Amino acid sequence: MTATRLTIRRAVETDDAVLLRIDQTSWDASTGFPSYQEHIRDSFFARSGPEAHLVAEHDGQVVGYLRLQDKYTFPEGAGVLTINGLAVAQEARGQGVAAALLEAAEAEGKRRGARKISLHVHGTNTVARRLYERHGYIIEGTHPNEFLIEGTYIDAVDMAKML
């Protein structure tokens, strides 16, 4: 996949079905929450609308998304955004899609006047953690045994990047 054929854009309603498919096939117990995935059956945008999503396209085909939202709903938290999901279709992994989405999120954060982007990642998701670190995210905290997923305790890792 060449960078010239990869584009990032805002999501639109008609992306719903393809984003639902990507979401349903991208997560496992080491990266996501199986119980949550069981509830996402009909609409990807049931949780949050298209306006919260950046979409990656390769040759016109949607291959990934990043959900970027205000972290806080009160004025004192203004300027802090959070990534509440980043997924890349299996067939497009390892080709720079996630990196392009993170770069686009940073640009969008700066455009909005944000000072920080934060995220949570499972301690077991070493691939994602390395990706975030390569893009300047640092660990702000670890919550040991935060989740019990399929009989295994999993740490939650808070990471963030100052803009």
Side-chain angles (χ1 to χ4, degrees), residues 47 65-70 82-86 118-120:
R47 178 177 176 187
Y65 75 86
L66 183 145
R67 184 179 298 115
L68 185 66
Q69 299 172 294
D70 290 328
T82 188
I83 295 173
N84 283 325
L86 189 164
S118 67
L119 59 89
H120 301 286

Side-chain angles (χ1 to χ4, degrees), residues 65-111:
Y65 75 86
L66 183 145
R67 184 179 298 115
L68 185 66
Q69 299 172 294
D70 290 328
K71 184 171 184 178
Y72 303 105
T73 58
F74 47 87
E76 293 84 355
V80 180
L81 301 177
T82 188
I83 295 173
N84 283 325
L86 189 164
V88 176
Q90 298 284 345
E91 66 275 9
R93 291 186 178 177
Q95 300 177 40
V97 175
L101 285 163
L102 285 172
E103 290 166 12
E106 185 176 336
E108 176 65 11
K110 288 177 180 176
R111 187 191 69 74

